[in-house]
Amino acid sequence: STQSGHYAGGRRGFRGEEAKPLQYEKSRLMSSNGPTRRNIQHLFHLAGENERRKVRSSIFATLKNVQGMGNLDAASLLNKIKMKDPALLKRINKVLRLVPNTQAYWESTRAKLKAQIEKFGPPTFFATFSPSEYDWEDLLQHLKDANSDIPNVDDLSPSALLNKDPVLTSTYIHKRFDALLKFIIDAEPLGKVKSHFVRHEYQSRGTVHFHTFLWIDKSPLIGKSSDAEVASFIQKHITCKLPDPVNEATLSDVVGSYQDHSCRSYCLRAFKKSHNSSKAKNESASSTKSKTKVACRFGFPRPKSKKFILHDVLSSVIGRKTKQMKQRLYDLPRTEEERRINDYNPILS
C-alpha cells in the first residue's frame, strides 16, 4: 500500500521519494514475499495498468503531432474518428505500438527486422530454443526454496510447482536464455555474430520459447557462394547424427530426450493434392481428383540419404507459400535410425 506518495511501513520505513509506477510494478513482480509475487489477479491488474499508461502517453503524443488537433474538443475528435480521418487513424494505430501483441506492435517489430535484413542480408541461422523446465533440477529447487511458505511444497509435482510461481519461473528461463545468447555471441560456436533478432512465444502450457535469427560474419550466401561452400558450412555446424552412447554419453542422452521427434496432433496436418488421371486429360475439370494426405508439418520422418543434398531455393519457398508438402532447403546425410532426429548443433544442445 501507499501513503502520501510513499510506501507505508516496511522493514526500512518510508521511502525518501515517491516511487514511479514502473518501479512499484517491478517491486511487486520481483517481491521476495511469496503471496505477493504469486497473486495472479494482482499481477494481471499491474499488467493492465502498465498497458493503460503506455496508451495514455501515446495518445497525448498523437494528438499533439496531428495537424489541427490541438484545439479540438471531445465531440469534434469523436466526429473525426467516425468520419475515419486518415491522418488521425494512422496516428491512432501507432498509439498501440508499445503494447505487446497488438497489430501496431508487430508492425514496428517487423520494420526493425526488415531493417536488419536490409543492412546485414539474409539471416544465416534460424534457431528455436525451448526450455526443458520439468527436468531442470536447479530451477525446481530454486522454486521450492523461494516458496517454502507453501504447505508441503517439497511434495508438489514439477508441473504444479512451476504453476504456483509463474513470475519466478519465467524470470529464471529468460535469464538462462540470456546467458545462452551471451555465450553464442562471446564464445562464437557458430562464428562471429554480426547481429541477432529474438522473438518470444508462449506455448499452450504457458512456457516461453525463443525464435532467433543469427547473422554470422563471413558466412556463405546461397546464390553467391558455391554449393560446396554452403554444404561445408552447414555440415560444420548442423548435424542429425546419433551420438555414441559410450563416448558421448551426455550428448546422447540430450539428443535422445529432446531431439527425437514423435508426431502428435500438434504437428500432423492434412495436405491436399490435386491431380488429373490419364483418362481425365480430355474430360472436364470435374474429373479432377483430390487426394488428402496426413503428414508432419515439420517433415518427419525425414528422408534417408547417404550424402548432403542442397535443394533449389525457389521450390522450397513455393512449397511453403502454397502450404503443400514442404521441401526443406537441404537434407543432411541421415541413416534410417536418424530419420526422426531433429537438426541440431552439438555445442548448443
Side-chain angles (χ1 to χ4, degrees):
S1 61
T2 58
Q3 181 178 347
S4 302
H6 303 282
Y7 290 118
R11 288 182 298 174
R12 297 177 179 82
F14 291 95
R15 288 180 60 95
E17 60 183 26
E18 183 176 356
K20 296 180 179 179
L22 186 58
Q23 290 176 314
Y24 174 76
E25 290 159 3
K26 286 185 176 179
S27 73
R28 299 300 86 194
L29 282 171
M30 304 308 297
S31 175
S32 59
N33 181 275
T36 298
R37 190 180 61 251
R38 298 191 302 264
N39 190 326
I40 303 301
Q41 287 184 321
H42 184 51
L43 296 182
F44 274 107
H45 167 73
L46 293 178
E49 286 297 310
N50 182 277
E51 289 188 356
R52 279 189 284 271
R53 193 168 60 251
K54 289 177 179 177
V55 172
R56 283 197 298 267
S57 64
S58 296
I59 288 175
F60 175 78
T62 296
L63 296 179
K64 184 178 179 181
N65 293 323
V66 176
Q67 186 176 4
M69 294 292 165
N71 299 320
L72 284 182
D73 56 23
S76 301
L77 180 59
L78 286 173
N79 184 58
K80 277 188 170 288
I81 294 175
K82 290 178 181 179
M83 297 299 292
K84 297 183 178 181
D85 181 273
L88 179 60
L89 291 180
K90 183 178 179 180
R91 290 284 183 173
I92 287 178
N93 185 48
K94 292 183 178 180
V95 164
L96 299 175
R97 70 186 184 279
L98 298 179
V99 180
N101 287 327
T102 59
Q103 179 181 343
Y105 172 86
W106 286 118
E107 286 178 354
S108 175
T109 303
R110 190 181 300 112
K112 293 176 183 177
L113 177 57
K114 286 182 177 180
Q116 284 181 284
I117 294 174
E118 183 70 24
K119 181 176 181 180
F120 299 107
T124 310
F125 291 109
F126 171 74
T128 296
F129 298 96
S130 299
S132 55
E133 69 277 13
Y134 296 138
D135 298 330
W136 286 351
E137 292 296 334
D138 48 354
L139 169 59
L140 299 177
Q141 188 58 52
H142 179 50
L143 290 172
K144 291 176 182 179
D145 295 340
N147 294 281
S148 58
D149 59 300
I150 298 177
N152 302 315
V153 67
D154 291 330
D155 299 329
L156 292 177
S157 66
S159 176
L161 187 60
L162 294 168
N163 289 333
K164 285 287 185 182
D165 199 336
V167 171
L168 206 56
T169 299
S170 183
T171 301
Y172 181 96
I173 292 173
H174 275 82
K175 285 186 178 294
R176 190 154 175 166
F177 172 74
D178 290 343
L180 174 62
L181 185 60
K182 186 176 186 300
F183 169 77
I184 293 173
I185 294 172
D186 293 347
E188 302 181 0
L190 301 174
K192 183 178 180 181
V193 179
K194 295 188 294 183
S195 186
H196 66 276
F197 174 88
V198 180
R199 171 170 170 161
H200 308 73
E201 288 188 0
Y202 286 82
Q203 299 162 328
S204 57
R205 71 176 189 265
T207 304
V208 67
H209 60 275
F210 308 88
H211 294 303
T212 61
F213 280 134
L214 299 168
W215 283 265
I216 305 300
D217 190 31
K218 298 180 181 178
S219 59
L221 189 63
I222 294 177
K224 291 187 176 181
S225 305
S226 68
D227 289 354
E229 288 178 290
V230 174
S232 176
F233 181 82
I234 293 175
Q235 292 181 91
K236 177 182 177 181
H237 298 291
I238 306 297
T239 184
C240 62
K241 179 178 177 293
L242 280 170
D244 187 298
V246 177
N247 298 321
E248 302 171 292
T250 301
L251 182 59
S252 177
D253 181 60
V254 169
V255 171
S257 298
Y258 306 114
Q259 300 292 1
D260 192 352
H261 180 81
S262 297
C263 288
R264 297 183 177 87
S265 58
Y266 83 100
C267 70
L268 294 176
R269 295 290 185 272
F271 293 88
K272 291 184 178 180
K273 288 187 176 182
S274 297
H275 60 89
N276 293 332
S277 65
S278 57
K279 294 182 180 180
K281 291 182 179 179
N282 298 321
E283 297 177 3
S284 64
S286 61
S287 64
T288 299
K289 295 182 178 180
S290 179
K291 184 178 180 181
T292 300
K293 182 178 181 180
V294 176
C296 175
R297 65 190 177 101
F298 301 120
F300 290 100
R302 290 177 179 167
K304 178 181 174 181
S305 177
K306 291 184 178 181
K307 62 180 182 179
F308 180 90
I309 301 173
L310 185 65
H311 295 291
D312 176 63
V313 175
L314 184 59
S315 61
S316 300
V317 172
I318 290 176
R320 292 175 179 270
K321 291 291 184 181
T322 57
K323 297 184 180 179
Q324 298 296 317
M325 293 290 291
K326 68 181 183 183
Q327 176 177 278
R328 292 170 55 79
L329 182 59
Y330 64 87
D331 286 315
L332 292 168
R334 196 182 297 266
T335 65
E336 181 66 33
E337 293 75 21
E338 295 165 343
R339 294 188 66 194
R340 289 192 174 274
I341 300 299
N342 193 32
D343 300 358
Y344 68 93
N345 177 274
I347 298 176
L348 302 180
S349 294

